[in-house]
Amino acid sequence: MREHTERYAASHGGQHPLTECMPWAEAIVSWLGALPGDDNPHGAPPMWHGPNRFGPRVISPDELTLAIAEGMRLDMAIRDLPIGDLPLFAVQAVLRDWLRWDIAPGTEQWPSPDGTPHITQWQALFTADAERAKEAATCAYWAIEELDKPWRDIQMSTAWFHRLHTYKIVYGRLADVAPLLGLPMPVQVREPDDYISMPGLLVEQAA
């Protein structure tokens, strides 16, 4: 994690990777907030709002945003990929997995985002209350799950076949849903050809 942060900062004018992740997470939370509600009066509330079967406490939009962004930061370091290339399934699970494996936030293995405007909130969520952190990670998991169906509805046949031919596997990536989330373009990716003819998406090769 620390080595990735140093490499990232060196190639991004000193910027911390969490700084790039936050707008993506904010866009996801904003998109979730605009989803139509459940008309069934007996239906369960959204997983990220609580109270629900994962715990009685409400996860605030700010906490959810930070949890999603932290998952992106972790996966960027693990895979050494630009943010647009991160698999949705990995961003969905990585934060919950690290906490379940008892990897402690704020340690050498999982350093805090020192020097960012988010450090106080990060410490309050991830180091002050272990149960709260696990709740936030679970809420982030289910929040990203909501992107699965919209991703499957994207008309991306050219990119889909290119990825299948090149990598023998196709899965959703963050860049795929950037137009849905209203994120600014172009999105930085490793291989622009992986996103050929995707509607509303502009990408550029990352440095």
Side-chain angles (χ1 to χ4, degrees):
M1 285 288 294
R2 198 173 299 281
E3 290 174 359
H4 174 265
T5 299
E6 292 171 355
R7 291 197 308 271
Y8 182 95
S11 61
H12 290 79
Q15 177 175 275
H16 193 281
L18 185 62
T19 303
E20 183 181 10
C21 298
M22 287 299 291
W24 286 80
E26 289 165 355
I28 291 172
V29 173
S30 178
W31 176 79
L32 288 168
L35 292 178
D38 190 346
D39 293 331
N40 179 1
H42 304 294
M47 298 295 186
W48 53 88
H49 286 172
N52 54 56
R53 64 190 178 91
F54 297 107
R57 296 187 291 182
V58 172
I59 298 299
S60 73
D62 286 346
E63 289 173 317
L64 178 59
T65 298
L66 184 58
I68 293 172
E70 184 66 3
M72 294 177 187
R73 178 172 85 108
L74 293 175
D75 206 51
M76 285 175 72
I78 292 167
R79 298 175 188 277
D80 196 24
L81 286 173
I83 193 168
D85 289 326
L86 297 182
L88 291 176
F89 72 83
V91 172
Q92 178 182 18
V94 62
L95 181 63
R96 192 174 70 163
D97 287 345
W98 276 43
L99 290 169
R100 288 167 62 185
W101 297 334
D102 292 327
I103 303 174
T107 61
E108 182 66 25
Q109 190 172 5
W110 185 348
S112 58
D114 297 328
T116 73
H118 316 291
I119 182 61
T120 300
Q121 184 189 7
W122 190 94
Q123 290 172 335
L125 182 59
F126 291 111
T127 64
D129 186 339
E131 290 305 311
R132 185 68 163 182
K134 290 177 181 178
E135 288 174 5
T138 297
C139 291
Y141 179 96
W142 290 108
I144 299 297
E145 178 77 11
E146 291 292 320
L147 287 168
D148 183 66
K149 184 182 184 303
W151 174 76
R152 294 178 185 280
D153 291 339
I154 295 171
Q155 300 300 312
M156 54 176 290
S157 59
T158 304
W160 195 93
F161 282 110
H162 171 79
R163 293 182 198 178
L164 185 62
H165 175 76
T166 305
Y167 309 111
K168 314 304 181 190
I169 188 171
V170 180
Y171 48 80
R173 304 179 185 183
L174 281 178
D176 296 343
V177 296
L180 173 72
L181 300 174
L183 283 155
M185 306 288 172
V187 176
Q188 292 209 338
V189 298
R190 180 164 291 174
E191 296 291 344
D193 285 351
D194 292 351
Y195 304 89
I196 297 172
S197 301
M198 292 190 61
L201 177 63
L202 294 175
V203 298
E204 66 179 9
Q205 190 165 31

